[in-house]
Amino acid sequence: MDVAKAIELRRSVKAYDPNHRISEAETEKLLSLAMLSPTAFNIQNWRFVLVSDPELRKQVRAVAWDQAHVTDASLLVVLTADLKSWEKDPARYWKNAPQPVQDYLVPAIGQYYQGREQVQRDEAMRSCGITVMTLMLAAKEMGYDSCPMDGFDFDAVGKLINLPQDHVIAMFVAIGKGIKEPWPRGGQLPLGEVVVQNRFG
Ligand SMILES: Cc1cc2nc3c(=O)[nH]c(=O)nc-3n(C[C@H](O)[C@H](O)[C@H](O)COP(=O)(O)O)c2cc1C
């Protein structure tokens, strides 16, 4: 499937076959593709929490507006990010780069993020937003549907998954075999309203 087709066909699907099992190989392929998504300074700050325990899924659903996709989708990924990945052995993010590149970039990472809490959080959301789209498009290409989600109690989910203090939750993505057509598209804004030439007027 070409990329444009996958973009057009991806929709937020809300009903999934609860009996469909996604294989470990498929899951690994999806996540390996998602990990090719870009991150600033290549800090790879996303942490993909796969909620496979059925009991935990039920508990998550209870704090997620009782949305059925939480329990019925084959995969429930809680997209989290490590706010401090930038300071955790950053040399590993550039280990394959030529030495002059490493010498320049590795210290630059700390200089950029040190003491800038808001930037660290923004970066977490940027990285997770980008990788979630990669995941959803890869899923489409592999014959799966998906739904990005933020309709849940973030604090309650954090407790259920033992979210570390220096991590944040960005969203969920449910992935599985859709069993109901999505609603028609809600209605796209005209291009002219969302595209700004050079600067706001
Ligand atoms: C950040 C985010 C959070 C969302 N949260 C939910 C959710 O909790 N439950 C749900 O069913 N859909 C959720 N959606 C899906 C949106 O309703 C959907 O993307 C939008 O209506 C456009 O439809 P489409 O994705 O089919 O093009 C969410 C989408 C995004 C991007």
Side-chain angles (χ1 to χ4, degrees):
M1 185 181 289
D2 70 36
V3 179
K5 199 84 210 153
I7 292 170
E8 281 167 9
L9 291 179
R10 182 219 58 83
R11 296 295 317 283
S12 292
V13 169
K14 327 255 171 179
Y16 292 91
D17 176 357
N19 298 313
H20 182 82
R21 298 276 169 268
I22 189 164
S23 70
E24 269 182 39
E26 287 173 308
T27 304
E28 194 177 318
K29 183 175 174 192
L30 269 174
L31 293 167
S32 301
L33 289 170
M35 284 186 64
L36 297 179
S37 304
T39 55
F41 292 107
N42 199 34
I43 58 174
Q44 299 165 72
N45 43 351
W46 4 252
R47 299 292 178 264
F48 304 88
V49 180
L50 308 183
V51 183
S52 54
D53 174 3
E55 193 44 47
L56 184 56
R57 286 267 201 121
K58 278 190 206 153
Q59 292 170 356
V60 172
R61 177 170 168 172
V63 294
W65 309 352
D66 194 32
Q67 298 189 74
H69 14 333
V70 171
T71 47
D72 295 352
S74 305
L75 261 186
L76 180 72
V77 186
V78 182
L79 251 299
T80 76
D82 183 348
L83 293 167
K84 303 296 175 191
S85 63
W86 57 272
E87 64 178 358
K88 294 177 181 168
D89 189 13
R92 66 201 162 119
Y93 308 136
W94 291 99
K95 63 180 190 299
N96 298 330
Q99 196 60 48
V101 175
Q102 296 191 29
D103 293 345
Y104 169 73
L105 271 177
V106 176
I109 297 176
Q111 286 156 20
Y112 184 73
Y113 291 107
Q114 187 72 53
R116 302 177 75 199
E117 309 299 317
Q118 180 69 46
V119 173
Q120 293 168 25
R121 189 181 163 85
D122 290 348
E123 211 72 283
M125 297 304 155
R126 279 189 275 271
S127 297
C128 287
I130 293 172
T131 200
V132 114
M133 194 66 199
T134 309
L135 257 179
M136 295 191 297
L137 294 179
K140 193 75 227 175
E141 201 266 338
M142 289 167 63
Y144 285 106
D145 289 303
S146 62
C147 188
M149 302 174 68
D150 66 4
F152 56 89
D153 179 332
F154 281 63
D155 292 335
V157 172
K159 286 197 184 88
L160 286 169
I161 64 168
N162 297 336
L163 186 74
Q165 278 292 327
D166 57 0
H167 285 49
V168 282
I169 297 176
M171 69 187 97
F172 296 168
V173 62
I175 297 174
K177 286 283 178 199
I179 52 171
K180 235 196 229 164
E181 285 299 306
W183 301 325
R185 281 191 192 278
Q188 306 307 115
L189 294 174
L191 208 60
E193 185 175 337
V194 299
V195 177
V196 176
Q197 299 290 352
N198 298 314
R199 52 180 72 85
F200 287 90

